[in-house]
Amino acid sequence: MSIERRDIDDGAQAGAMALLARAAAADGRADSRLRGAIDDFYLSDHARLDDRMRLAMGRVLDDLALGVEAALRGHAARLLAARAVPHLADALGRQSPATRDRLIGSGLMRDPDLMRELFGRVRQDLLADALPSEAPEDPDRASLLPRLVGAADGVVAAGAMALLSAESRRRIPLPPGQPLSTELPAELHHRLVWWVAAVLRERFGDGAPDALAQLDRALSEAALRSIAAHDEGERLEAVALRLAAALDPQADEFAGLLVEALADRRLALFIALLAHAMGIDYDDAREIVLDPGADRLWLLLRALELDRQSIARIGLALSEADPARDIDRFADGLDAIAAIDPVLARQALAPLLLHRDYRAALVALGRGR
């Protein structure tokens, strides 16, 4: 290699500029890593995600992005092939592993509503999987959900069967890259579909205007088809709420049904029963149940007039499933929990009955103050 001084030709000049650009980008990445490390260092333990949660969230994000992409690619490619644009159909038909990375890199996946839903879903599924499975007190009696499937009340039986199906869909994912139901609320499903459609379109850059117009039309039609086919009523959470409404347990049945739902590891039904009884959204009830501090949960159970023994069984089951819960603190405070007047508990929980957007605005104002 020659190191003698000589005039720099155009190729060397271009190489130097590319090196400078890479170095500048590296500075930016280093700064981003530093800011991320600082943020992580100052996170409190209760706000930091554990490894199980990180892995589960990664899987969910991958499944959602690739599943929606597969549906859009498949239908749009068929449309393009039928419209005599085979080169675009072939290019669109090839899967790319970068969809999730592009969505995250763009900041779209930081959408608070989407992340609140996904964090809630993943935490719910992890907690449900970790719940201790208790043998029924009567060994000849079927467990809760199979028993409800055989109920004489047809609405209850149909609701229980629907919940079994919804749980199977949630727990047995399709192979990667296969079209799937996102199981998101309708508005969030719509957002995700349009985001993925935009990522697919972006890969084609600036091409021939006529071809890109055909691509835009095909992707838009595929997105609208996915939106039209989505039924948020099939979500596990929605199905559980319908079953809770069909059961509509009376006061003397309610505590036993809650305890049995947890013993049967039917956490979605447990949450739905609480939401239905209190008249609050499923999302609010889920947030209360998943909170390791559990102070609002004890208020909720007392507002619904659960007795000390039932609260003890519920608290023990949740503590065994979630290592973040302080079982000793719960045991020490059990008498105080049971002594709470149900009327006072309902008054303390009254803000949960307000419109969710109104409550969010109040929280935002408080944060700013």
Side-chain angles (χ1 to χ4, degrees), residues 106 110 146 163 187 238 269 310-311 314:
S106 69
R110 291 179 176 269
L163 185 57
E187 183 178 349
L269 179 56
S310 299
I311 294 173
I314 290 169

Side-chain angles (χ1 to χ4, degrees), residues 72-116:
L72 296 185
R73 280 191 303 104
H75 189 64
R78 287 194 298 273
L79 293 175
L80 289 168
R83 293 166 185 172
V85 197
H87 65 289
L88 282 181
D90 292 342
L92 191 62
R94 292 190 291 272
Q95 179 179 324
S96 168
T99 300
R100 188 195 78 161
D101 292 342
R102 183 67 187 101
L103 289 172
I104 291 175
S106 69
L108 288 173
M109 283 296 204
R110 291 179 176 269
D111 179 86
D113 293 332
L114 176 65
M115 295 310 291
R116 182 183 295 112

Side-chain angles (χ1 to χ4, degrees), residues 122-204:
V122 170
R123 285 195 173 103
Q124 174 181 305
D125 292 345
L126 290 175
L127 184 61
D129 289 341
L131 281 171
S133 183
E134 296 182 21
E137 296 178 1
D138 181 356
D140 295 327
R141 191 184 191 203
S143 58
L144 177 61
L145 213 52
R147 194 169 74 249
L148 294 177
V149 169
D153 186 327
V155 177
V156 169
M161 181 59 73
L163 185 57
L164 280 174
S165 299
E167 286 186 337
S168 296
R169 287 196 304 273
R170 179 70 60 85
R171 293 175 181 276
I172 306 174
L174 294 172
Q178 294 295 312
L180 82 166
S181 169
T182 61
E183 292 224 352
L184 291 172
E187 183 178 349
L188 296 180
H189 177 79
H190 298 176
R191 287 185 212 172
L192 182 60
V193 167
W194 289 119
W195 293 345
V196 173
V199 170
L200 291 172
R201 169 60 173 79
E202 184 184 58
R203 292 174 189 164
F204 289 83

Side-chain angles (χ1 to χ4, degrees), residues 230-291:
H230 181 68
D231 182 0
E232 66 178 350
E234 294 180 355
R235 300 171 58 228
L236 171 62
E237 294 78 8
V239 172
L241 272 177
R242 288 200 297 274
L243 177 56
L247 288 167
D248 194 23
Q250 301 304 301
D252 59 341
E253 304 169 319
F254 184 64
L257 196 54
L258 282 177
V259 169
E260 195 173 2
L262 278 189
D264 203 26
R265 303 172 73 184
R266 310 293 179 181
L267 185 60
L269 179 56
F270 175 83
I271 295 170
L273 286 166
L274 291 176
H276 173 73
M278 195 65 190
I280 60 178
D281 291 342
Y282 183 98
D283 292 347
D284 290 328
R286 177 174 64 188
E287 187 175 285
I288 289 171
V289 171
L290 297 180
D291 179 6

